[in-house]
């Protein structure tokens, strides 16, 4: 058995794949040979990301899609299947985080948007691609969650709630789809240096408070997450399902 991660001949779909953690996951999957469709709202940003990875073994194909809209998700899967091939690896990475602050200052409009993007998008994509995975003998679903789904995030009720929900979806899907050789896992990053989390690390005092007690006292990087995603998507992880891999510098420890 070789320890080289190979995704040659595989088709991956990564939501939010044009920046931050999603961009590095895309890079690692394409380095391993997968053809990767990246999806987010802005086509120009996706095109730029794809151009940066044009020299990788796997192709990177940008397709604009608002993951909070069911009809756009349907069109995304249909176009991916027609232009690239049926999806072997689904990475539900796109997320939003609104309503930061005291919980009583949040409202149902915020809740609805958070559920649409952070939970329903993954739910809808699983319904759209897993039946084909089952028909073809297997596949991999990877949900990018957060340590905020394992412990409450201060001032982040809605984010913690939606990520905890995605963790439970991961475990239930793993139990149901395992007999059909479709594996479902999650990665729970801690504080990673991306534009999405800039509020937490741009202020030095706030950053020091968050990472100072970690066993690994540095800010995480997208490059700390991508290789793990490639591993969990590969045959090297063929006996791993229903798991939440925490990548947080030891913060939860």
């Amino acid at each position: 058995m070789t320890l080289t991660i190979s995704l040659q001949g595989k088709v991956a779909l990564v939501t939010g794949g044009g920046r931050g953690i999603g961009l590095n996951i895309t890079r690692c999957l394409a380095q391993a040979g997968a053809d990767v469709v990246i999806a987010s709202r802005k086509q120009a940003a996706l095109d730029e990301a794809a151009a940066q990875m044009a020299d990788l073994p796997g192709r990177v194909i940008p397709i604009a899609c608002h993951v909070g809209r069911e009809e756009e998700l349907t069109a995304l899967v249909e176009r991916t299947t027609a232009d690239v091939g049926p999806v072997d690896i689904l990475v539900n990475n796109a997320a939003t985080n609104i309503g930061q602050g005291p919980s009583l200052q949040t409202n149902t409009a915020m809740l609805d948007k958070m559920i649409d993007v952070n939970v329903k998008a993954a739910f809808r994509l699983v319904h759209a691609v897993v039946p084909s995975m089952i028909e073809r003998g297997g596949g991999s679903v990877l949900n990018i969650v957060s340590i905020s789904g394992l412990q409450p995030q201060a001032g982040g009720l809605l984010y913690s709630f939606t990520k905890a929900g995605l963790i439970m979806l991961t475990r239930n899907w793993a139990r149901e789809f395992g007999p059909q050789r479709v594996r479902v896992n999650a990665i729970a990053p801690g504080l990673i240096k991306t534009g999405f989390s800039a509020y937490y690390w741009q202020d030095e005092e706030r950053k020091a408070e968050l990472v100072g007690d970690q066993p690994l006292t540095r800010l995480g990087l997208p490059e700390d997450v991508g290789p793990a995603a490639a591993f969990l998507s590969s045959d090297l992880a063929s006996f791993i399902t229903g798991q939440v891999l925490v990548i947080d510098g030891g913060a939860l420890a």
Side-chain angles (χ1 to χ4, degrees):
M1 183 180 190
T2 178
L3 292 180
T4 301
I5 295 176
S6 174
L7 299 173
Q8 193 71 35
K10 301 294 186 181
V11 174
L13 172 57
V14 182
T15 63
R19 63 177 184 170
I21 290 173
L23 179 63
N24 193 259
I25 290 174
T26 297
R27 182 178 297 278
C28 289
L29 296 180
Q31 283 178 335
D35 289 334
V36 187
V37 171
I38 53 175
S40 65
R41 288 182 299 166
K42 298 179 180 179
Q43 186 68 49
L46 291 172
D47 291 341
E48 182 179 349
Q52 295 173 5
M53 296 181 282
D55 60 341
L56 297 179
R59 295 179 296 158
V60 176
I61 302 97
I63 300 178
C65 172
H66 190 311
V67 301
R69 297 173 181 168
E70 185 172 11
E71 67 277 8
E72 293 195 27
L73 289 173
T74 300
L76 170 65
V77 174
E78 289 176 350
R79 183 173 168 189
T80 297
T81 302
D83 295 352
V84 189
V87 176
D88 303 294
I89 300 164
L90 171 63
V91 181
N92 291 307
N93 169 70
T96 189
N97 188 8
I98 59 174
Q100 287 290 108
S103 63
L104 293 180
Q105 293 180 11
T106 59
N107 56 53
T108 55
M110 294 174 180
L111 176 62
D112 288 345
K113 182 173 182 178
M114 292 284 283
I115 290 175
D116 280 344
V117 175
N118 293 6
V119 180
K120 280 187 179 180
F123 182 88
R124 288 165 171 162
L125 284 171
V126 163
H127 276 250
V129 305
V130 166
S132 174
M133 289 180 178
I134 292 172
E135 289 176 2
R136 291 177 291 111
S140 170
V141 177
L142 183 60
N143 298 316
I144 307 305
V145 293
S146 169
I147 60 171
S148 299
L150 296 168
Q151 67 175 18
Q153 181 189 82
L157 169 70
L158 300 183
Y159 191 68
S160 289
F161 167 68
T162 55
K163 290 301 185 179
L166 190 52
I167 289 170
M168 190 52 63
L169 284 174
T170 298
R171 291 170 173 161
N172 275 275
W173 284 329
R175 290 181 64 89
E176 183 175 350
F177 303 148
Q180 286 78 43
R181 298 181 62 191
V182 175
R183 298 182 299 104
V184 188
N185 292 290
I187 291 178
L191 182 57
I192 305 294
K193 188 177 183 180
T194 66
F196 185 81
S197 64
Y199 171 83
Y200 295 99
W201 55 261
Q202 283 183 334
D203 181 274
E204 289 297 325
E205 289 187 9
R206 188 179 295 119
K207 182 179 73 172
E209 181 180 351
L210 289 169
V211 306
D213 290 334
Q214 290 178 185
L216 303 179
T217 56
R218 68 167 174 86
L219 196 60
L221 299 172
E223 292 80 4
D224 295 316
V225 180
F231 165 72
L232 286 173
S233 301
S234 75
D235 288 342
L236 292 177
S238 63
F239 200 53
I240 300 175
T241 196
Q243 302 306 305
V244 180
L245 175 60
V246 175
I247 302 177
D248 68 348
L252 291 187

